[in-house]
Coordinates of all heavy atoms in Angstrom, one line a residue:
Chain A
T93 N 70.3 112.4 130.8 CA 69.3 112.3 129.8 C 69.9 111.6 128.6 O 71.1 111.5 128.4 CB 68.8 113.7 129.4 OG1 67.6 113.5 128.5 CG2 69.8 114.5 128.7
Y94 N 69.0 111.1 127.7 CA 69.6 110.6 126.4 C 68.6 110.8 125.3 O 67.4 111.0 125.4 CB 70.0 109.1 126.6 CG 68.9 108.1 126.3 CD1 68.8 107.5 125.0 CD2 68.1 107.6 127.3 CE1 67.8 106.5 124.8 CE2 67.1 106.6 127.1 CZ 67.0 106.1 125.8 OH 66.1 105.1 125.5
F95 N 69.2 110.8 124.1 CA 68.5 111.0 122.8 C 68.7 109.8 121.9 O 69.7 109.2 121.9 CB 69.0 112.2 122.1 CG 68.8 113.5 122.8 CD1 69.6 114.0 123.8 CD2 67.7 114.3 122.5 CE1 69.4 115.1 124.5 CE2 67.5 115.5 123.1 CZ 68.3 115.9 124.1
Q96 N 67.6 109.5 121.2 CA 67.7 108.6 120.0 C 67.4 109.5 118.8 O 66.2 109.9 118.7 CB 66.8 107.4 120.1 CG 66.9 106.5 118.9 CD 66.5 105.1 119.2 OE1 67.0 104.5 120.2 NE2 65.6 104.6 118.4
N97 N 68.4 109.7 118.0 CA 68.2 110.7 116.9 C 67.9 112.0 117.6 O 68.6 112.4 118.5 CB 67.2 110.2 115.9 CG 67.7 108.9 115.3 OD1 68.8 108.7 114.9 ND2 66.8 107.9 115.2
E98 N 66.8 112.7 117.1 CA 66.5 114.0 117.7 C 65.5 113.9 118.9 O 65.3 114.9 119.6 CB 65.9 114.9 116.7 CG 64.6 114.5 116.1 CD 64.7 113.5 115.0 OE1 65.8 112.9 114.8 OE2 63.7 113.2 114.3
A99 N 65.0 112.7 119.2 CA 64.1 112.5 120.3 C 64.7 112.3 121.6 O 65.6 111.4 121.8 CB 63.1 111.3 119.9
Q100 N 64.3 113.1 122.6 CA 64.8 112.9 124.0 C 63.9 111.9 124.6 O 62.7 112.1 124.9 CB 64.7 114.3 124.7 CG 65.4 114.2 126.1 CD 65.4 115.6 126.8 OE1 64.7 116.5 126.4 NE2 66.3 115.7 127.8
L101 N 64.4 110.7 124.9 CA 63.6 109.6 125.4 C 63.5 109.4 126.9 O 62.6 108.8 127.4 CB 64.2 108.3 124.7 CG 64.1 108.2 123.2 CD1 64.4 106.8 122.8 CD2 62.7 108.6 122.7
E102 N 64.5 109.9 127.6 CA 64.5 109.7 129.0 C 65.3 110.8 129.7 O 66.3 111.3 129.2 CB 65.1 108.4 129.4 CG 64.9 108.0 130.9 CD 65.2 106.6 131.2 OE1 65.5 105.8 130.3 OE2 65.2 106.2 132.4
K103 N 64.7 111.3 130.9 CA 65.4 112.3 131.7 C 65.4 111.8 133.1 O 64.5 111.3 133.7 CB 64.6 113.6 131.6 CG 64.7 114.3 130.2 CD 64.1 115.7 130.3 CE 62.7 115.8 130.5 NZ 62.2 117.2 130.4
S104 N 66.6 112.0 133.8 CA 66.7 111.6 135.1 C 66.1 112.6 136.0 O 65.9 113.8 135.7 CB 68.2 111.5 135.5 OG 68.5 111.6 136.9
R105 N 65.8 112.2 137.3 CA 65.2 113.2 138.3 C 66.3 114.2 138.6 O 66.0 115.3 139.2 CB 64.8 112.4 139.5 CG 63.5 111.6 139.3 CD 63.2 110.8 140.6 NE 64.2 109.8 140.8 CZ 64.3 109.0 141.9 NH1 63.4 109.2 142.8 NH2 65.2 108.2 142.0
L106 N 67.6 113.9 138.3 CA 68.7 114.9 138.6 C 68.5 116.1 137.7 O 69.1 117.2 138.0 CB 70.0 114.2 138.3 CG 70.5 113.1 139.2 CD1 71.8 112.5 138.7 CD2 70.6 113.6 140.6
L107 N 67.8 115.9 136.6 CA 67.7 117.0 135.6 C 66.5 117.9 136.0 O 65.4 117.7 135.6 CB 67.4 116.4 134.2 CG 68.0 117.1 133.0 CD1 69.5 117.1 133.1 CD2 67.5 116.5 131.7
S108 N 66.9 118.9 136.8 CA 65.8 119.9 137.3 C 65.4 120.7 136.1 O 65.9 120.7 135.0 CB 66.4 120.7 138.4 OG 67.3 121.7 137.8
D109 N 64.4 121.5 136.4 CA 63.8 122.4 135.3 C 64.8 123.5 134.9 O 64.5 124.2 133.9 CB 62.4 122.9 135.7 CG 62.5 123.7 137.0 OD1 63.6 123.9 137.5 OD2 61.5 124.1 137.5
R110 N 65.9 123.6 135.6 CA 66.9 124.6 135.1 C 67.8 124.0 134.0 O 68.5 124.7 133.4 CB 67.8 125.0 136.3 CG 67.1 125.7 137.4 CD 68.1 126.2 138.5 NE 68.7 125.1 139.1 CZ 70.0 124.8 138.9 NH1 70.8 125.5 138.1 NH2 70.6 123.7 139.6
F111 N 67.7 122.7 133.8 CA 68.5 122.0 132.8 C 67.6 121.8 131.6 O 66.4 121.3 131.7 CB 69.0 120.7 133.3 CG 70.1 120.8 134.3 CD1 69.8 121.2 135.6 CD2 71.4 120.4 134.1 CE1 70.8 121.3 136.6 CE2 72.4 120.4 135.0 CZ 72.1 120.9 136.2
S112 N 68.2 122.0 130.4 CA 67.5 121.6 129.2 C 68.5 121.1 128.2 O 69.6 121.6 128.1 CB 66.7 122.7 128.6 OG 67.5 123.8 128.2
A113 N 68.1 120.1 127.4 CA 69.0 119.5 126.5 C 68.2 119.3 125.1 O 67.0 119.1 125.1 CB 69.5 118.1 126.9
E114 N 69.0 119.5 124.1 CA 68.4 119.4 122.7 C 69.4 118.7 121.8 O 70.6 118.6 122.1 CB 68.2 120.8 122.1 CG 67.1 121.6 122.8 CD 67.0 123.0 122.1 OE1 67.8 123.4 121.3 OE2 65.9 123.6 122.4
R115 N 68.8 118.1 120.8 CA 69.6 117.4 119.8 C 68.9 117.7 118.4 O 68.3 116.7 117.9 CB 69.8 116.0 120.0 CG 70.9 115.3 119.1 CD 71.0 113.8 119.4 NE 72.1 113.3 118.5 CZ 72.2 112.0 118.2 NH1 71.4 111.1 118.7 NH2 73.3 111.6 117.5
P116 N 69.0 118.9 117.9 CA 68.3 119.2 116.7 C 68.9 118.4 115.5 O 70.2 118.2 115.5 CB 68.6 120.7 116.5 CG 69.8 121.0 117.3 CD 69.8 120.0 118.5
K117 N 68.1 117.9 114.7 CA 68.5 117.1 113.5 C 69.3 115.9 113.8 O 69.9 115.3 113.0 CB 69.4 118.0 112.6 CG 68.7 119.3 112.1 CD 69.7 120.1 111.3 CE 69.0 121.5 110.9 NZ 69.9 122.3 110.1
G118 N 69.2 115.5 115.1 CA 69.9 114.2 115.5 C 71.4 114.1 115.3 O 72.0 113.1 115.3
S119 N 72.0 115.3 115.3 CA 73.5 115.3 115.2 C 74.1 115.7 116.6 O 74.0 115.0 117.5 CB 73.9 116.2 114.1 OG 73.4 117.5 114.3
F120 N 74.6 117.0 116.7 CA 75.2 117.4 117.9 C 74.1 117.7 118.9 O 72.9 117.8 118.6 CB 76.0 118.7 117.7 CG 75.2 119.9 117.3 CD1 74.8 120.7 118.4 CD2 74.9 120.2 116.0 CE1 74.0 121.9 118.1 CE2 74.1 121.3 115.7 CZ 73.6 122.1 116.8
S121 N 74.5 117.8 120.2 CA 73.6 118.1 121.3 C 74.1 119.2 122.1 O 75.3 119.4 122.2 CB 73.4 116.8 122.1 OG 72.5 117.1 123.2
T122 N 73.1 119.9 122.7 CA 73.5 121.0 123.7 C 72.8 120.7 125.0 O 71.7 120.2 125.0 CB 73.1 122.4 123.1 OG1 71.7 122.4 122.9 CG2 73.9 122.7 121.9
L123 N 73.5 121.1 126.0 CA 73.0 121.0 127.4 C 73.1 122.4 128.0 O 74.2 122.9 128.1 CB 73.8 120.0 128.2 CG 73.4 119.8 129.7 CD1 72.0 119.2 129.8 CD2 74.4 119.0 130.5
E124 N 72.0 123.0 128.4 CA 72.0 124.3 128.9 C 71.6 124.2 130.4 O 70.6 123.5 130.7 CB 71.0 125.2 128.2 CG 71.0 126.6 128.7 CD 70.0 127.6 128.1 OE1 69.1 127.0 127.4 OE2 70.1 128.8 128.3
I125 N 72.3 125.0 131.2 CA 71.9 125.1 132.6 C 71.6 126.6 132.8 O 72.4 127.5 132.6 CB 73.1 124.7 133.5 CG1 73.6 123.3 133.2 CG2 72.6 124.7 135.0 CD1 74.8 122.9 134.0
Q126 N 70.4 126.9 133.3 CA 70.0 128.2 133.6 C 70.2 128.5 135.1 O 70.1 127.6 135.9 CB 68.6 128.4 133.2 CG 68.3 128.3 131.7 CD 66.9 128.6 131.3 OE1 66.0 128.3 132.1 NE2 66.7 129.1 130.1
R127 N 70.5 129.8 135.4 CA 70.6 130.2 136.8 C 71.5 129.2 137.6 O 71.0 128.6 138.6 CB 69.2 130.3 137.4 CG 68.3 131.2 136.6 CD 66.9 131.3 137.3 NE 66.3 130.1 137.5 CZ 65.6 129.4 136.6 NH1 65.6 129.8 135.3 NH2 65.1 128.2 136.9
T128 N 72.7 129.1 137.1 CA 73.6 128.1 137.8 C 73.7 128.3 139.3 O 73.7 129.4 139.8 CB 75.0 128.2 137.1 OG1 75.5 129.5 137.1 CG2 75.0 127.6 135.7
E129 N 73.9 127.2 139.9 CA 74.1 127.1 141.4 C 75.5 126.5 141.6 O 76.0 125.7 140.8 CB 73.0 126.4 142.0 CG 71.6 126.9 141.8 CD 70.5 126.0 142.3 OE1 70.8 124.9 142.8 OE2 69.3 126.4 142.2
Q130 N 76.0 126.7 142.8 CA 77.3 126.1 143.1 C 77.3 124.6 143.1 O 78.2 123.9 142.7 CB 77.8 126.6 144.5 CG 78.3 128.0 144.5 CD 78.9 128.4 145.8 OE1 78.5 128.1 146.8 NE2 80.0 129.2 145.7
G131 N 76.1 124.0 143.4 CA 75.9 122.6 143.3 C 76.0 122.0 141.9 O 76.0 120.8 141.7
D132 N 76.0 122.9 140.9 CA 76.0 122.4 139.5 C 77.5 122.1 139.1 O 77.7 121.6 138.1 CB 75.5 123.4 138.6 CG 74.0 123.7 138.8 OD1 73.3 122.7 139.3 OD2 73.5 124.8 138.5
S133 N 78.4 122.6 140.0 CA 79.8 122.3 139.7 C 80.1 120.8 139.6 O 79.8 120.1 140.5 CB 80.7 123.0 140.7 OG 80.6 124.3 140.8
A134 N 80.6 120.4 138.4 CA 80.8 119.0 138.1 C 81.5 118.9 136.8 O 81.7 119.8 136.0 CB 79.5 118.3 138.1
M135 N 81.8 117.6 136.4 CA 82.2 117.3 135.1 C 81.0 116.8 134.3 O 80.3 115.9 134.8 CB 83.3 116.2 135.1 CG 83.7 115.7 133.7 SD 84.8 116.8 132.9 CE 86.3 116.2 133.5
Y136 N 80.7 117.4 133.2 CA 79.6 116.9 132.3 C 80.1 116.1 131.1 O 80.9 116.6 130.4 CB 78.7 118.1 131.9 CG 78.0 118.8 133.1 CD1 78.6 119.7 133.9 CD2 76.7 118.4 133.4 CE1 78.0 120.2 135.0 CE2 76.0 118.9 134.5 CZ 76.7 119.8 135.3 OH 76.1 120.3 136.4

Side-chain angles (χ1 to χ4, degrees):
Chain A
T93 188
Y94 89 94
F95 294 84
Q96 180 158 308
N97 300 314
E98 66 275 11
Q100 188 173 17
L101 296 187
E102 189 170 352
K103 293 191 290 186
S104 163
R105 287 175 297 173
L106 294 175
L107 214 65
S108 76
D109 56 6
R110 296 185 297 105
F111 288 69
S112 63
E114 295 182 342
R115 192 183 182 198
K117 303 178 182 178
S119 56
F120 70 92
S121 176
T122 58
L123 178 68
E124 180 183 17
I125 308 174
Q126 296 182 329
R127 305 181 303 282
T128 53
E129 302 173 355
Q130 286 188 321
D132 296 331
S133 295
M135 174 78 89
Y136 290 83

